[in-house]
């Protein structure tokens, strides 16, 4: 049997000396993106102080993958011309958040830690329809009642900050999720959590956080499909060891970070990250161009029977729809990010999607549509309607999602999974006569606000597309 990846079998991989970052939500994306860039930054800077302690949110799978490997894992990079693998040593420790909840605030309070990063996905922030902290959420309620063992991401963060306030060390809190203005989102949710605590506890805490913590926004980009057994077998051949923590990624990676830190941070800029005062234009370009087109291809592609994004984008009609979404609907809504050529960007997005080696499943991108659509497509729809223009292609993306939910099967009758925190609610809204589907789905207030619900033009575009897709 091939030996397992570990310090013993990979003694030459650079290892940090100490934990300087706590990461909430150590899934594949973090390991293929921020951890890689942090490892490179440490090498470039000649320091070992920015090791990562990863926290899993729900399952302990990543602990089982990484603990026996001393935190080491490989990144299998798949491009159109070939495949390579290299081992990353930045992760020093992994904590199962649900099993050792009391360990998380303690780790965040460690004064050697200067940064908390987050990739907890859109739903992990537990926001209500108005975008505020959902105080009816059971995890949030439990964390408000118990300071010692928080389970929600915001609870972990605030309870960690609370403990940190005892010796007052500043902290940079850096969201790396695909949300508009993700730094302000986290800052707002932290403030909501403090405001829901008894005032003698919450008010001084909120004040200290406002003075000692910063919440820069960041735009992250790298396509990271779920790892398969074939990927593990290929990495085993390349590395000569068995790696249960393997992640797969495209060669491309980008990280744009708002330059607003509470204290020292890794020299990410020496590892390809861009530090800037203005992340918003980059963030909007990425969410509205790349992620929106991804979602359109995922829903329309899955319905047509394509298993992967690369297959979907090879379908001429879908490629044309994706390109038109970007050029006609999205670009007019964007501010040009400095140093980013939007024409080039659109072309690169489609090229990256076409990489056949990635095998990124349409159903993986289709997950959590209720959380993703508002961020990716509905801002474009709103801006275009306000400008008196017709958001034809963005509406196609939304319509494809509605049909995906309602039909639950592709063109060949194969079932399509509905993996979404609002799945029950969406299924209930989708059930019923086909000609009322758009009206019923537009009534889901967690996804569509009044302005969109009341737009006759949007409704009629959706009806037209749903008719054509059904
Ligand atoms: C994708 C993203 O799964 C999805 O919804 O659109 O994960 C996408 O691959 C990344 O944001 C790329 O940076």
């Amino acid at each position: 049997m091939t030996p397992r990846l570990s310090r013993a079998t990979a003694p030459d991989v650079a290892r940090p000396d100490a934990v300087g970052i706590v990461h909430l939500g150590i899934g594949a994306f973090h390991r293929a993106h921020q951890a890689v860039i942090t490892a490179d930054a440490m090498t470039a800077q000649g320091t070992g102080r920015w090791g990562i302690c990863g926290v899993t949110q729900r399952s302990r799978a990543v602990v089982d993958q990484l603990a026996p490997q001393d935190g080491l894992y490989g990144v299998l990079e798949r491009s159109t011309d070939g495949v390579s693998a290299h081992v990353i040593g930045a992760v020093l420790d992994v904590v199962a958040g649900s099993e050792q909840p009391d360990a998380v605030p303690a780790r965040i309070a460690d004064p050697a830690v200067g940064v908390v990063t987050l990739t907890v996905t859109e739903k992990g922030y537990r926001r209500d329809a108005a975008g505020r902290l959902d105080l009816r959420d059971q995890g949030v309620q439990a964390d408000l009642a118990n300071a010692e063992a928080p389970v929600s991401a915001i609870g972990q963060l605030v309870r960690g900050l609370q403990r940190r306030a005892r010796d007052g060390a500043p902290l940079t809190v850096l969201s790396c999720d695909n949300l508009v203005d993700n730094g302000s989102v986290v800052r707002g949710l932290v403030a909501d959590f403090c405001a829901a605590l008894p005032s003698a506890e919450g008010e001084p805490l909120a004040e200290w956080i406002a003075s000692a913590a910063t919440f820069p926004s960041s735009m992250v980009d790298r396509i990271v499909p779920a790892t398969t057994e074939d990927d593990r077998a290929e990495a085993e051949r390349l590395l000569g060891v068995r790696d249960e923590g393997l992640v797969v990624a495209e060669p491309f990676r980008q990280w744009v970070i708002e330059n607003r830190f509470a204290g020292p941070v890794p020299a990410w800029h020496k590892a390809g990250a861009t530090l800037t005062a203005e992340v918003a234009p980059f963030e909007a370009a990425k969410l509205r161009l790349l992620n929106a087109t991804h979602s359109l291809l995922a829903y329309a592609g899955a319905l047509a029977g394509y298993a992967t994004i690369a297959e979907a984008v090879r379908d001429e009609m879908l490629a044309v729809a994706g390109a038109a979404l970007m050029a006609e609907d999205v670009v007019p809504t964007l501010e040009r990010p400095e140093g980013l050529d939007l024409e080039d960007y659109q072309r690169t997005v489609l090229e990256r999607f076409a990489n056949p080696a990635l095998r990124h499943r349409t159903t993986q991108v289709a997950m959590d549509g209720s959380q993703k659509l508002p961020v990716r497509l509905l801002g474009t729809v709103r801006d275009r309607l306000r400008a008196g223009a017709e958001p034809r292609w963005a509406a196609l993306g939304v319509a494809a999602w509605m049909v995906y939910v309602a039909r639950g099967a592709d063109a060949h009758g194969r079932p399509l999974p509905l993996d979404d925190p609002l799945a029950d609610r969406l299924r209930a809204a989708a059930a019923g006569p086909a000609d009322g589907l758009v009206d019923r789905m537009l009534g889901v207030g967690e996804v569509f606000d009044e302005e969109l619900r009341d737009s006759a033009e949007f409704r009629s575009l959706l009806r037209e597309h749903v008719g054509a897709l059904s």
Side-chain angles (χ1 to χ4, degrees):
M1 217 174 82
T2 322
R4 186 102 177 244
L5 174 63
S6 70
R7 289 189 79 165
T9 54
D12 299 334
V13 176
R15 297 288 284 170
D17 337 302
V19 168
I21 298 176
V22 171
H23 181 78
L24 304 182
I26 183 164
F29 186 75
H30 172 72
R31 282 177 278 158
H33 186 274
Q34 304 102 66
V36 172
I37 297 174
T38 302
D40 287 355
M42 281 191 280
T43 307
Q45 208 179 357
T47 176
R49 72 160 283 199
W50 295 111
I52 296 167
C53 166
V55 178
T56 69
Q57 295 300 297
R58 285 177 311 272
S59 107
R60 56 168 286 118
V62 182
V63 180
D64 295 334
Q65 290 166 359
L66 296 191
Q69 300 185 178
D70 307 313
L72 298 180
Y73 62 91
V75 178
L76 187 71
E77 219 171 87
R78 291 190 178 281
S79 73
T80 16
D81 337 299
V83 58
S84 65
H86 62 285
V87 175
I88 302 296
V91 176
L92 282 180
D93 202 2
V94 188
V95 173
S98 55
E99 290 171 23
Q100 285 179 274
D102 50 327
V104 182
R107 300 306 293 252
I108 294 176
D110 177 354
V113 166
V115 183
V116 171
T117 46
L118 298 93
T119 51
V120 296
T121 79
E122 297 86 345
K123 63 181 175 236
Y125 289 93
R126 313 215 186 174
R127 294 188 294 168
D128 63 17
R132 307 294 297 266
L133 185 64
D134 186 356
L135 298 175
R136 291 166 318 175
D137 179 273
Q138 283 184 357
V140 171
Q141 284 180 357
D143 295 351
L144 284 165
N146 172 0
E148 302 306 320
V151 290
S152 69
I154 297 299
Q156 290 167 333
L157 189 55
V158 178
R159 294 309 191 179
L161 281 160
Q162 189 166 25
R163 200 177 292 194
R164 209 173 161 94
R166 294 178 197 162
D167 48 35
L171 186 70
T172 300
V173 179
L174 184 55
S175 168
C176 302
D177 278 295
N178 285 321
L179 297 170
V180 179
D181 211 359
N182 49 16
S184 307
V185 167
V186 180
R187 190 182 49 226
L189 297 174
V190 164
D192 288 346
F193 190 101
C194 292
L197 289 169
S199 57
E201 184 186 359
E203 280 170 19
L205 177 59
E207 230 168 84
W208 178 76
I209 291 174
S211 69
T214 62
F215 298 84
S217 284
S218 82
M219 180 271 253
V220 293
D221 192 5
R222 189 170 205 188
I223 296 176
V224 182
T227 308
T228 65
E229 200 34 54
D230 284 352
D231 297 322
R232 291 198 189 90
E234 185 143 23
E236 189 168 324
R237 190 175 55 72
L238 291 167
L239 296 170
V241 287
R242 176 75 186 167
D243 177 8
E244 297 296 344
L246 183 77
V247 294
V248 180
E250 63 173 338
F252 182 95
R253 63 189 205 201
Q254 190 180 17
W255 197 4
V256 182
I257 310 170
E258 187 184 1
N259 196 348
R260 194 146 57 85
F261 305 120
V265 297
W268 288 311
H269 60 285
K270 294 194 175 163
T274 305
L275 304 186
T276 171
E278 269 289 328
V279 175
F282 291 93
E283 211 170 32
K286 193 258 174 175
L287 295 170
R288 290 187 178 196
L289 291 169
L290 184 146
N291 291 112
T293 308
H294 229 181
S295 289
L296 166 64
L297 291 169
Y299 297 117
L303 286 171
Y306 298 119
T308 67
I309 294 290
E311 286 165 25
V313 80
R314 283 207 151 68
D315 178 309
E316 178 137 8
M317 257 165 52
L318 293 180
V320 166
L325 165 63
M326 293 194 277
E328 292 173 27
D329 289 356
V330 178
V331 167
T333 72
L334 296 178
E335 205 183 298
R336 288 193 181 262
E338 213 182 301
L340 195 89
D341 178 337
L342 288 178
E343 308 308 315
D344 226 38
Y345 190 85
Q346 293 167 68
R347 202 174 33 254
T348 319
V349 162
L350 292 176
E351 275 166 22
R352 289 167 61 198
F353 288 171
N355 176 352
L358 272 181
R359 300 205 53 76
H360 198 190
R361 300 192 72 77
T362 45
T363 50
Q364 186 185 348
V365 180
M367 268 176 64
D368 293 346
S370 69
Q371 317 289 303
K372 291 174 177 172
L373 252 53
V375 175
R376 299 175 176 204
L377 286 162
L378 299 182
T380 297
V381 169
R382 202 173 289 115
D383 286 354
R384 294 303 279 156
L385 289 171
R386 284 182 189 166
E390 188 183 63
R392 165 155 292 272
W393 306 102
L396 175 62
V398 179
W401 169 72
M402 290 179 172
V403 175
Y404 182 102
V405 172
R407 199 156 82 195
D410 71 10
H412 313 292
R414 289 176 298 215
L416 293 171
L418 182 60
D419 196 334
D420 194 297
L422 294 186
D424 292 342
R425 178 132 171 60
L426 297 176
R427 263 194 216 101
D435 61 359
L437 176 66
V438 168
D439 299 331
R440 293 192 305 275
M441 294 297 280
L442 279 175
V444 179
E446 291 90 335
V447 179
F448 301 101
D449 64 10
E450 231 167 275
E451 180 180 354
L452 293 179
R453 212 164 35 242
D454 290 349
S455 161
E457 191 166 9
F458 184 41
R459 195 174 289 253
S460 105
L461 275 173
L462 289 171
R463 285 197 182 129
E464 189 189 317
H465 289 310
V466 164
L469 287 163
S470 301

